[in-house]
């Protein structure tokens, strides 16, 4: 039997190695083929198909209505666009909460139908059994603690977590529990910078922060925030590198003006018939020329 070793692909071991070498881990969300290609070519280490797609692509109010079918569909688009980056699929709300069998079925869809290399689940110590079950099915797991958007109703809103020493220690314990359970890395979201740095120092596995300060082993942002593809006020931690929303509006306005003025399409933007041919054909030519 021959195996094709894809040495060019970033693996979960490479992600662990980056922490040990003190190299920052770069993760961005991606939801479609062209974005995946661009991010992969730019050298992003991990592409996360986040359930944030429900909000930034689908216009939903929260991530809670996002389904497995939506996630698998978008993951497969991203899989076709990436060559090197590690691809992580985000398990949506209620896809890993009901039973071991259901969880494994859903997670395996990310791998088999979506082409993902790993999955991400939200939650601390209450996910220990789930993480172990996923690992027993050979599915690598990224954890996610702190502000976990699927717990929106339990948290009473999107609130920074771990603001007191007690809360910080509960989070540290959660991080240690899921590390022991076997996650290969974890997202720390919406935490005071000092708390995220303390957790990062205490862990062997890498942390990837979002709204969690500079002390994490890597950083992740939602690509629509990075591109300015959303015309809503951004959270404090977002750095917006472009203004796609305005660029798209401007491009559409320019197109509209060009069509209305008749400057689009120009002659070079039109197809033409083969030399000597006319739309009327022979008959018309004969009739005209007879
Ligand atoms: O869904 C998502 O995009 C995420 C990241 C913000 C970590 O979970």
């Amino acid at each position: 039997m021959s195996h094709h070793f894809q040495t060019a692909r970033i693996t979960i071991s490479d992600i662990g190695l980056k922490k040990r070498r003190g190299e920052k881990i770069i993760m961005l969300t991606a939801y479609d083929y062209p974005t995946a290609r661009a991010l992969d070519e730019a050298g992003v280490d991990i592409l996360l198909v986040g359930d944030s797609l429900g909000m930034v692509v689908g216009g939903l109010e929260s991530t809670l209505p996002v389904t497995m079918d939506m996630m698998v569909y978008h993951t497969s688009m991203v899989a076709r666009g990436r060559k090197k980056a590690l691809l992580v699929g985000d398990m949506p709300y209620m896809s890993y909460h009901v039973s071991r069998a259901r969880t494994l079925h859903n997670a395996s869809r990310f791998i088999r139908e979506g082409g993902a290399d790993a999955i991400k689940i939200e939650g601390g110590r209450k996910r220990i059994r789930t993480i172990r079950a996923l690992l027993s099915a050979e599915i690598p797991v990224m954890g996610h603690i702190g502000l976990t958007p699927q717990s929106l109703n339990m948290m009473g809103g999107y609130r920074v977590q771990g603001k007191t020493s007690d809360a910080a220690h509960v989070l540290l314990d959660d991080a240690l529990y899921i590390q022991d359970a076997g996650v290969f890395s974890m997202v720390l979201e919406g935490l005071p910078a000092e708390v995220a740095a303390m957790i990062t120092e205490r862990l062997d596995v890498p942390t990837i922060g979002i709204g969690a300060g500079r002390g994490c082993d890597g950083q992740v942002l939602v690509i629509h925030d990075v591109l300015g593809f959303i015309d809503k006020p951004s959270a404090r931690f977002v750095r917006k590198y472009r203004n796609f929303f305005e660029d798209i509006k401007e491009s559409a306005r320019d197109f509209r003006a060009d069509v209305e003025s008749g400057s689009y399409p120009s002659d070079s933007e039109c197809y033409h018939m083969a030399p000597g041919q006319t739309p009327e054909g022979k008959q018309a030519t004969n009739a005209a020329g007879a």
Side-chain angles (χ1 to χ4, degrees):
M1 195 164 104
S2 81
H3 296 276
H4 295 282
F5 292 106
Q6 293 163 316
T7 45
R9 283 257 171 96
I10 294 175
T11 64
I12 58 168
S13 320
D14 297 325
I15 299 302
L17 199 59
K18 284 200 118 181
K19 174 167 182 139
R20 294 196 291 283
R21 287 185 176 151
E23 293 169 10
K24 290 285 184 191
I25 298 159
I26 317 301
M27 178 157 100
L28 281 168
T29 67
Y31 314 106
D32 59 40
Y33 170 80
T35 311
R37 280 196 58 186
L39 301 185
D40 193 281
E41 284 182 24
V44 171
D45 297 311
I46 307 177
L47 299 182
L48 171 69
V49 185
D51 62 352
S52 50
L53 73 83
M55 298 172 78
V56 298
V57 178
L60 294 169
E61 287 288 316
S62 77
T63 58
L64 300 181
V66 172
T67 65
M68 273 303 301
D69 284 346
M70 292 180 200
M71 293 304 303
V72 170
Y73 179 51
H74 283 272
T75 304
S76 70
M77 294 183 215
V78 172
R80 286 189 286 276
R82 70 87 188 236
K83 283 201 174 81
K84 190 157 189 262
L86 185 80
L87 174 51
V88 180
D90 201 6
M91 292 194 68
Y93 178 57
M94 290 311 284
S95 68
Y96 54 96
H97 304 69
V98 178
S99 68
R100 179 189 161 105
R102 197 90 212 121
T103 301
L104 294 186
H105 169 77
N106 287 330
S108 70
R109 287 192 62 197
F110 273 102
I111 310 294
R112 300 170 81 175
E113 295 173 47
D117 304 311
I119 58 85
K120 174 169 88 58
I121 61 173
E122 295 182 5
R125 65 199 78 185
K126 61 189 164 196
R127 301 290 172 236
I128 291 173
R129 280 151 61 104
T130 309
I131 294 165
R132 290 202 180 124
L134 290 162
L135 295 181
S136 77
E138 316 302 341
I139 300 175
V141 182
M142 177 182 279
H144 183 161
I145 60 169
L147 192 172
T148 45
Q150 293 172 14
S151 323
L152 170 66
N153 294 322
M154 293 295 278
M155 292 183 304
Y158 298 111
R159 295 177 198 288
V160 173
Q161 303 291 300
K163 282 192 156 181
T164 63
S165 306
D166 285 351
H169 281 98
V170 171
L171 280 164
L172 172 62
D173 283 347
D174 275 333
L176 290 167
Y177 273 120
I178 64 171
Q179 169 173 272
D180 284 352
V183 298
F184 74 90
S185 66
M186 70 184 75
V187 170
L188 301 183
E189 179 166 357
L191 296 185
E194 335 43 275
V195 175
M198 177 271 285
I199 293 174
T200 301
E201 274 171 29
R202 295 286 302 274
L203 293 180
D204 296 324
V205 298
T207 61
I208 304 176
I210 175 161
R214 284 195 287 244
C216 299
D217 298 306
Q219 297 290 330
V220 55
L221 283 176
V222 168
I223 189 66
H224 285 52
D225 286 333
V226 170
L227 299 177
F229 206 170
I230 300 180
D231 68 331
K232 289 186 183 154
S234 308
R236 176 200 297 219
F237 60 82
V238 167
R239 188 173 290 180
K240 185 168 150 179
Y241 289 83
R242 292 289 185 275
N243 201 341
F244 266 33
F245 191 82
E246 287 307 318
D247 288 351
I248 289 173
K249 268 203 321 209
E250 214 173 293
S251 308
R253 283 197 193 112
D254 289 351
F255 177 64
R256 180 179 154 192
D258 288 352
V259 172
E260 284 173 353
S261 72
S263 83
Y264 180 84
S266 66
D267 196 53
S268 65
E269 288 159 330
C270 295
Y271 297 109
H272 293 290
M273 295 181 74
Q277 299 295 307
T278 65
E280 294 78 17
K282 261 204 172 95
Q283 272 181 332
T285 311
N286 285 348

